[in-house]
């Protein structure tokens, strides 16, 4: 569309040039007309003055002699010349003779020309003096007056003839000048602009500097050449910016590796090539996707800082790129996750060899800046197409599907401890789909509060009296009971544990308050997750629940696993102190399975140590750890609860060892709320419940 626009510009330019020439020409012509009008007036007056000079003598004689006939002859000659009328008057004003030319009708143009030439009626008056040879004495006195009226019509006709000729000549001149100007403009400006427009139209938007504009001949040193030079310079800058934007759109700004968008594009292309070569017996049509995730990278960021973490990621990118072929693609998905696309691999063994080479290259990375690190990674491998071992997925996966498969395999490698690679199998997808369905159902259950609490009793080891309950959450999904071991980790990963924990806490407080009012005080323990304890508002939430339901604080016990507390003791200590200040009892669950520091244990506001069931299962044959925990609790003035008690031998040993309370299937399985309340009512009716005081 650029060239038609330039053509219309050419036409406009020609019209403007002609109009400019006409305006200038008309201005000059108007000045010429004014000068010519002044000249014609002067000429007309001069001609009349000359005629008057010729007839002055005879006119004076006629006036001297008072000869009307002679005066008429003199005036007749004047009228025939340039005068429209003429008359002679004597010295006293008496008219001696008068002659007029017959009037003819004047056209509009003649009247306009007359008005332009003569503003008023032009009259020439000449005094007639006494002739020197007159019959009377010559005293040189005035004897009369010759009055002549100029013939304006004749002067106007001559002026109009000149104007017509001048207008015609001026019009032709202006037209020729305008066309000449248009030709010059077209030659020097319009045609170069047309050439530039065509060159601009041929510019490739993907590579704007592929065809720089050529400077038209003869314009290298003028303004047009300067404009083209600046335009080409701008094209160069645009090319650089275009390359930079393309790099930013397809490359990780930190490592320079391919980003997710470019990886997906390369992977789609590799899948297409693999599908075309599927019939190749050499196996060169296969491709492998390696999903690489660094192990414990967050610890490096948290301990050494994000600057060191970024430097480590750059070093990892270098190692990954150095251990693959030029035809392969290495990219960063984000964070500490990388993807490697291996094209034309022969079989699983070749992919495994590359994966092991990557692991070895990363593990050999010992120093980052001034810091020493020990780096390992987990790698998931998805091969397309899968070997004919019955694991071929339905349909042909796309790039996103292959990445998801490799991700599932990587998660399996990380679950197995990291520093290894794992191949994708079909059951990984099944597990992932099961997890997605579980997560979806869990979200619906949280919104509908579709959970229930069961209560497992705890009894005094020595006397068997009821000392409290542990509230345990249960969930039935699509008619099937889902184990907490299956849905609690999902709730932790998705953050739903916060809402679930709030509901459990509220139900436990409501139940403990009702039992205390109806029967007697019985403590209820609830489990606290890592996310709940890390929430800055958790202590405030507990306080609000106690106030809302009027629950005595000593009837609520919070069980926190040892590994959760010891993961960041200094961070959790303020929350634990605030909970303890409320009067809430705190128990360390699964004690002995973590790596507790005795120094920290003495600082923690803890009331109860729960002996993990794995140590109870060893009783009475391997009592070392259980007896150590009981002795430690006694020295620190803490209560002990043994969970997972299932045999009479275990119960007897724990009672003899000084354990305070027991919990397990030997005492009772978890009970529904009604059954648990019946146990509370029976215990207080028989005085078999251990009274608890604040």
């Amino acid at each position: 569309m650029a060239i038609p626009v330039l053509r219309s510009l050419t036409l406009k330019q020609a019209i403007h040039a002609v109009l400019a020439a006409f305006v200038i020409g008309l201005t000059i012509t108007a000045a010429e007309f004014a000068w010519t009008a002044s000249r014609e007036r002067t000429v007309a007056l001069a001609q009349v003055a000359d005629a008057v000079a010729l007839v002055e003598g005879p006119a004076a004689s006629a006036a001297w002699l008072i000869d009307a006939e002679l005066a008429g002859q003199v005036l007749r000659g004047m009228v025939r010349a340039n005068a429209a009328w003429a008359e002679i008057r004597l010295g006293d004003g008496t008219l001696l003779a008068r002659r007029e030319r017959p009037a003819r009708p004047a056209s509009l143009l003649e009247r306009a020309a007359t008005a332009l030439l003569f503003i008023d009626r032009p009259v020439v008056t000449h005094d007639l003096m006494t002739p020197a040879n007159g019959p009377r004495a010559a005293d040189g006195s005035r004897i009369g007056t010759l009055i002549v009226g100029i013939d304006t019509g004749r002067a106007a006709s001559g002026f109009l003839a000149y104007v017509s000729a001048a207008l015609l000549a001026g019009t032709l001149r202006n037209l020729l000048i305008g066309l000449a100007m248009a030709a010059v403009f077209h030659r020097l400006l319009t045609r170069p602009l047309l050439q530039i427009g065509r060159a601009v139209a041929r510019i490739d938007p993907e590579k704007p500097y592929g065809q720089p504009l050529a400077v038209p001949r003869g314009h290298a040193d003028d303004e047009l050449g300067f404009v083209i030079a600046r335009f080409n310079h701008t094209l160069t800058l645009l090319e650089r910016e275009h390359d930079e934007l393309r790099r930013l759109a397809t490359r990780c700004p930190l490592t320079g590796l391919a980003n997710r968008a470019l990886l997906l594009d390369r992977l789609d292309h590799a899948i297409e090539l693999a599908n075309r070569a599927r019939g190749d017996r050499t196996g060169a049509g296969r491709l492998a996707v390696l999903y690489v995730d660094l192990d414990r990278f967050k610890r490096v960021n948290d301990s050494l800082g994000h600057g060191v973490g970024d430097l480590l990621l750059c070093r990892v990118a270098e190692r990954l790129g150095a251990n693959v072929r030029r035809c392969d693609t290495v990219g960063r998905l984000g964070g500490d996750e990388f993807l490697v696309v291996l094209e034309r691999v022969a079989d699983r063994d070749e992919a495994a060899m590359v994966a092991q080479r990557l692991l070895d290259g990363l593990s050999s990375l010992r120093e980052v800046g001034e810091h020493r690190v020990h780096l390992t990674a987990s790698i998931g491998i998805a091969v397309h197409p899968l070997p004919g071992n019955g694991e071929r997925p339905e349909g042909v996966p796309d790039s996103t599907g292959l990445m998801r498969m490799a991700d599932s395999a990587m998660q399996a490698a990380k679950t197995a401890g990291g520093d290894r690679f794992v191949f994708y199998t079909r059951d990984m997808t099944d597990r992932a789909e099961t997890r997605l369905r579980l997560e979806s159902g869990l979200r619906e259950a949280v919104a509908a509060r579709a959970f229930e609490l069961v209560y497992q009793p705890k009894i005094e080891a020595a006397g068997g009296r009821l000392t409290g309950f542990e509230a345990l959450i249960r969930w039935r999904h699509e008619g099937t009971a889902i184990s907490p071991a299956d849905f609690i980790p999902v709730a932790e990963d998705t953050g739903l544990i916060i809402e679930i924990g709030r509901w459990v806490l509220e139900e436990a407080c409501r139940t403990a308050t009702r039992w205390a009012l109806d029967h007697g005080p019985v403590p209820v323990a609830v489990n606290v997750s890592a996310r709940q304890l890390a929430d800055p508002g958790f202590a405030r939430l507990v306080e609000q629940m106690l106030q809302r339901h009027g629950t005595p604080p000593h009837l609520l016990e919070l069980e926190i696993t040892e590994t959760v507390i010891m993961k960041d003791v200094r961070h959790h200590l303020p929350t634990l102190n605030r909970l303890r200040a409320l009067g809430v009892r705190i128990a360390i669950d699964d004690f002995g399975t973590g790596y507790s520091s005795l120094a920290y244990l003495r600082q923690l506001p803890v009331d109860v140590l729960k002996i993990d069931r794995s140590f109870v299962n060893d009783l009475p044959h391997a009592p070392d750890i259980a007896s150590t925990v009981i002795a430690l609790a006694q020295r620190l003035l803490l209560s002990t609860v043994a969970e997972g008690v299932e045999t009479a031998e275990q119960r007897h040993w724990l009672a003899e060892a000084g354990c305070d309370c027991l919990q397990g299937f030997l005492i009772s399985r978890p009970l529904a709320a009604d059954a648990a309340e019946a146990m509370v009512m029976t215990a207080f009716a028989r005085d078999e419940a251990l009274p608890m005081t604040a």
Side-chain angles (χ1 to χ4, degrees):
M1 297 297 293
I3 294 177
V5 172
L6 286 176
R7 288 176 178 172
S8 65
L9 177 62
T10 303
L11 179 59
K12 290 181 180 179
Q13 198 174 66
I15 294 174
H16 290 165
V18 173
L19 289 178
F22 268 94
V23 169
I24 295 173
L26 288 176
T27 301
I28 296 174
T29 302
E32 291 178 349
F33 286 172
W35 177 80
T36 302
S38 176
R39 186 193 64 183
E40 289 294 325
R41 176 185 177 87
T42 302
V43 169
L45 292 174
Q47 289 178 349
V48 172
D50 292 342
V52 168
L54 290 175
V55 299
E56 180 180 7
S61 298
W64 175 254
L65 297 175
I66 311 176
D67 187 349
E69 183 177 354
L70 177 59
Q73 293 177 356
V74 171
L75 295 179
R76 189 178 299 112
M78 289 291 297
V79 171
R80 289 174 181 174
N82 293 324
W85 56 273
E87 62 182 17
I88 298 176
R89 290 184 180 273
L90 298 178
D92 59 359
T94 304
L95 179 64
L96 177 62
R98 178 182 174 86
R99 291 289 185 272
E100 294 183 4
R101 177 180 296 175
R104 62 180 183 84
S107 64
L108 180 62
L109 290 177
E110 290 178 340
R111 289 198 296 271
T114 300
L116 179 63
L117 291 172
F118 307 101
I119 299 176
D120 52 359
R121 298 291 293 178
V123 176
V124 177
T125 302
H126 186 75
D127 291 335
L128 301 176
M129 309 305 292
T130 302
N133 58 352
R136 299 180 184 177
D139 55 6
S141 60
R142 185 175 68 84
I143 59 174
T145 304
L146 175 59
I147 304 172
V148 180
I150 297 176
D151 187 358
T152 58
R154 178 177 296 180
S157 298
F159 179 70
L160 285 177
Y162 168 78
V163 168
S164 299
L167 281 176
L168 180 59
T171 300
L172 292 175
R173 177 193 62 195
N174 296 338
L175 180 60
L176 292 176
I177 292 175
L179 293 176
M181 291 174 60
V184 171
F185 278 128
H186 178 76
R187 174 66 179 81
L188 298 180
L189 184 61
T190 306
R191 188 166 66 180
L193 287 177
L194 284 171
Q195 295 174 357
I196 294 173
R198 295 189 182 98
V200 171
R202 290 193 297 267
I203 293 177
D204 183 5
E206 294 297 325
K207 194 172 182 58
Y209 199 64
Q211 294 178 331
L213 301 184
V215 179
R217 182 181 304 173
H219 292 278
D221 299 328
D222 60 11
E223 292 83 354
L224 197 59
F226 173 76
V227 170
I228 294 176
R230 297 307 302 172
F231 188 85
N232 287 334
H233 178 67
T234 303
L235 287 180
T236 303
L237 296 180
L238 287 176
E239 175 72 8
R240 294 176 184 172
E241 293 294 332
H242 188 271
D243 292 341
E244 180 64 16
L245 290 175
R246 184 164 47 205
R247 188 187 69 81
L248 292 176
T250 59
R251 295 288 175 177
C252 167
L254 176 64
T255 63
L257 297 178
N259 62 7
R260 181 181 292 270
L262 182 58
L263 281 171
L264 290 174
D265 181 72
R266 296 278 180 87
L267 190 51
D268 282 333
H269 180 68
I271 291 174
E272 184 178 354
L273 292 179
N275 291 337
R276 291 179 182 177
R278 179 170 293 184
D280 190 351
R281 295 182 179 180
T282 64
R286 289 195 178 96
L287 69 93
V289 179
L290 279 61
Y291 202 114
V292 183
D293 185 87
L294 305 182
D295 298 330
R296 296 174 294 280
F297 175 74
K298 186 177 184 299
R299 183 177 302 174
V300 175
N301 259 349
D302 294 342
S303 59
L304 302 181
H306 291 281
V308 177
D310 290 345
L311 181 59
L312 177 60
L313 291 175
C314 293
R315 298 291 300 277
V316 168
E318 294 173 0
R319 292 296 176 95
L320 293 178
N323 286 283
V324 297
R325 300 165 299 179
R326 293 178 59 87
C327 64
D328 300 326
T329 302
V330 179
R332 181 185 176 210
L333 297 174
D336 61 337
E337 296 180 341
F338 298 84
L339 197 76
V340 180
V341 180
L342 304 178
E343 299 186 30
R344 299 191 298 274
V345 295
D347 49 27
R348 288 163 55 101
D349 292 340
E350 183 178 354
M353 180 183 65
V354 175
Q356 187 60 53
R357 189 164 65 238
L358 295 179
L359 291 176
D360 294 341
L362 295 178
S363 63
S364 64
L365 184 59
R366 299 296 184 183
E367 294 184 358
V368 178
E370 299 178 353
H371 303 277
R372 294 188 62 84
V373 296
H374 176 66
L375 187 65
T376 60
S378 300
I379 300 180
I381 307 175
V383 178
H384 172 76
L386 289 176
N389 56 1
E391 294 180 338
R392 183 184 301 275
E394 297 179 1
V396 178
D398 57 6
S399 56
T400 304
L402 270 180
M403 287 175 59
R404 189 165 55 246
M405 295 175 186
D407 186 16
S408 299
M410 183 274 294
Q411 296 294 341
K414 191 170 287 291
T415 302
D419 194 18
R420 69 192 66 207
F421 61 85
V422 172
F423 278 93
Y424 166 81
T425 57
R426 179 62 182 173
D427 63 321
M428 293 179 181
T429 298
D430 295 338
R431 288 197 299 269
E433 292 175 353
T434 300
R435 178 187 168 91
L436 287 176
R437 289 195 300 269
L438 187 63
E439 179 181 337
S440 176
L442 192 59
R443 292 184 183 278
E444 296 175 359
V446 169
R449 298 291 190 267
F451 302 102
E452 63 175 330
L453 286 184
V454 295
Y455 301 87
Q456 187 170 30
K458 292 183 282 187
I459 65 170
E460 186 182 32
R465 290 187 296 176
L466 180 67
T467 60
F469 289 89
E470 179 181 0
L472 302 171
I473 190 170
R474 293 294 183 263
W475 176 42
R476 297 186 66 84
H477 178 54
E478 297 178 350
T480 303
I482 308 298
S483 170
D486 293 331
F487 72 83
I488 291 298
V490 177
E492 285 273 5
D493 293 342
T494 59
L496 295 173
I497 194 65
I498 299 295
E499 287 297 319
I500 294 175
R502 179 194 297 268
W503 179 84
V504 170
L505 185 62
E506 186 166 15
E507 286 295 312
C509 288
R510 180 185 295 112
T511 300
T513 301
R514 189 178 73 251
W515 289 350
L517 293 176
D518 294 345
H519 312 292
V522 179
V524 176
V526 297
N527 292 283
V528 177
S529 71
R531 280 183 177 253
Q532 287 178 281
L533 190 61
D535 185 1
F538 179 66
R540 177 59 181 163
L541 174 65
V542 173
E543 183 179 7
Q544 290 175 348
M545 292 298 179
L546 295 174
Q547 293 175 354
R548 179 182 303 173
H549 299 286
T551 307
H554 66 277
L555 296 184
L556 178 64
E557 183 175 299
L558 301 179
E559 294 187 2
I560 309 169
T561 61
E562 179 185 14
T563 53
V564 169
I565 293 180
M566 293 304 166
K567 185 176 182 180
D568 195 346
V569 176
R570 294 181 179 179
H571 178 72
H572 298 320
L573 193 57
T575 301
L576 295 174
N577 285 328
R578 185 174 176 185
L579 292 170
R580 182 65 175 277
L582 294 175
V584 174
R585 291 169 57 83
I586 299 176
I588 297 182
D589 197 9
D590 300 337
F591 187 79
T593 58
Y595 302 93
S596 297
S597 168
L598 295 181
Y600 279 128
L601 187 60
R602 293 183 60 185
Q603 299 176 20
L604 291 174
V606 177
D607 301 285
V608 180
L609 295 182
K610 295 192 70 174
I611 305 173
D612 187 69
R613 66 178 64 247
S614 62
F615 306 136
V616 175
N617 290 338
D618 294 336
L619 298 178
H621 309 291
D624 296 341
I625 296 180
S627 60
T628 301
V629 173
I630 294 173
L632 177 63
Q634 291 173 347
R635 293 295 298 271
L636 296 176
L637 303 179
L638 302 177
S639 300
T640 52
V641 176
E643 57 182 356
V645 179
E646 298 182 356
T647 66
E649 292 82 0
Q650 293 171 351
R651 176 176 181 175
H652 178 73
W653 187 94
L654 290 167
E656 291 294 328
C659 181
D660 296 306
C661 298
L662 307 178
Q663 176 183 349
F665 287 175
L666 179 65
I667 290 86
S668 174
R669 289 181 176 273
L671 304 173
D674 294 340
E677 185 174 4
M679 178 180 285
V680 172
M681 182 174 59
T682 302
F684 277 96
R686 297 178 179 177
D687 195 21
E688 293 179 353
L690 186 63
M692 301 296 296
T693 58

